[in-house]
Amino acid sequence: MDLEMKPLCLFDVDGTLTKPRQVITKDVFEFLKEKVKPHYDIALVGGSDYSKITEQMGGTGLNEFAFIFSENGLVARKNGEIIGTESIQSFIGEEQLQEFINFALRYMSTLNLPAKRGTFVEFRTGLINICPVGRSCSQKEREQFAEYDQVHCIREKFIQAITKQFPNLPFKYSIGGQISFDVFPKGWDKTYCLKYLDDYTTIHFFGDKTQPGGNDYEMSQSPRVISHTVKGPEDTIKQLRQLLTTL
């Protein structure tokens, strides 16, 4: 089968190919390389920046992926080369950006959580990541917050407060992973990366946060993709095995 004629398997990273903020296991990576890639082009799309995706992919082997879309595709790479970028700073302007960030920091200063650490607002090229517990938290503190958030809906209530404060900002809010949520202009969700994939007539998307409000939801609803909701890396491999039986 010619490379151009292969369908594409497009993977979310966190919670799909890896456990939350963990590194991909050798078994998962080898399965993609040896079993999936001979029949499908493979690509990544994540809300994290490129350095975090690189870290979660073990720092090597990224050349196995035809495309890597970091920050929901707002920084796009094909065969390792950048083919497109978009900036939230140029879109919204510094004045509104600071007003938004100041409100988020004030709101977080009123929260009482099991733990608070550092890096509560992470400014990326195409989005803002808000993390009430702080991205420098330990794995144990991450899990503590995730459990606390399930009960107290910290991130959901935070988004409601922001929406009330800034009703006219053209932002969307997407909960992903265990500890944070992403803020980005409407239309800059993961479907943004599809503009680079016009050559593919068949795209299978695998993601774990496909429920409304999750950061895979919009992609899962796109008519351009065949969506697969997964529960973690093991389930991703299970569903890939089923997909390969249809060849």
Side-chain angles (χ1 to χ4, degrees):
M1 186 182 294
D2 294 336
L3 178 64
E4 292 78 16
M5 297 301 295
K6 285 183 181 179
L8 180 73
C9 282
L10 177 62
F11 299 97
D12 167 54
V13 179
D14 217 38
T16 298
L17 291 182
T18 76
K19 293 183 179 179
R21 287 301 301 137
Q22 300 298 300
V23 176
I24 192 170
T25 65
K26 181 179 179 181
D27 288 346
V28 172
F29 182 78
E30 292 299 321
F31 186 86
L32 293 177
K33 180 180 177 180
E34 297 177 7
K35 302 297 184 181
V36 180
K37 194 176 177 185
H39 306 285
Y40 296 86
D41 284 347
I42 57 176
L44 303 173
V45 57
S48 296
D49 60 27
Y50 184 70
S51 65
K52 287 188 175 62
I53 290 177
T54 300
E55 176 187 334
Q56 287 189 265
M57 290 298 104
T60 59
L62 289 178
N63 59 327
E64 300 293 341
F65 297 92
F67 296 87
I68 299 175
F69 300 112
S70 51
E71 303 185 43
N72 290 347
L74 298 169
V75 181
R77 286 174 170 82
K78 179 180 180 181
N79 298 323
E81 300 293 327
I82 292 180
I83 57 174
T85 61
E86 185 60 84
S87 166
I88 191 172
Q89 183 178 13
S90 61
F91 178 83
I92 199 67
E94 186 65 30
E95 183 177 348
Q96 280 192 309
L97 193 61
Q98 286 198 33
E99 184 180 354
F100 178 88
I101 291 173
N102 288 342
F103 175 82
L105 290 171
R106 285 195 300 270
Y107 183 92
M108 282 185 282
S109 74
T110 68
L111 295 176
N112 291 312
L113 304 174
K116 276 188 179 181
R117 295 302 176 252
T119 313
F120 303 102
V121 176
E122 187 172 82
F123 181 78
R124 302 174 185 170
T125 304
L127 58 85
I128 302 167
N129 181 263
I130 306 290
C131 182
V133 64
R135 297 199 67 86
S136 61
C137 64
S138 67
Q139 183 62 34
K140 181 179 179 180
E141 290 161 347
R142 168 185 288 270
E143 292 168 358
Q144 282 179 332
F145 176 82
E147 294 175 1
Y148 190 83
D149 188 46
Q150 285 185 342
V151 175
H152 298 280
C153 302
I154 298 298
R155 291 180 290 177
E156 184 179 336
K157 292 176 182 177
F158 199 162
I159 290 171
Q160 291 171 356
I162 293 175
T163 303
K164 182 178 180 180
Q165 180 71 20
F166 300 103
N168 297 320
L169 278 184
F171 280 165
K172 279 188 70 75
Y173 307 90
S174 182
I175 295 174
Q178 293 178 299
I179 60 173
S180 65
F181 62 92
D182 292 333
V183 182
F184 48 84
K186 292 178 180 178
W188 288 19
D189 51 69
K190 287 181 179 175
T191 60
Y192 190 90
C193 76
L194 295 175
K195 64 187 287 187
Y196 299 106
L197 301 176
D198 287 341
D199 291 340
Y200 291 94
T201 56
T202 301
I203 301 173
H204 291 271
F205 173 70
F206 294 79
D208 67 314
K209 292 290 193 299
T210 58
Q211 74 281 4
N215 63 358
D216 298 319
Y217 175 73
E218 290 83 3
M219 181 69 87
S220 73
Q221 298 301 300
S222 170
R224 294 236 8 235
V225 308
I226 301 167
S227 181
H228 305 262
T229 300
V230 301
K231 299 175 182 178
E234 296 82 4
D235 191 35
T236 299
I237 296 302
K238 178 181 177 181
Q239 294 196 37
L240 284 169
R241 290 187 190 278
Q242 293 173 343
L243 180 62
L244 291 170
T245 65
T246 64
L247 295 173

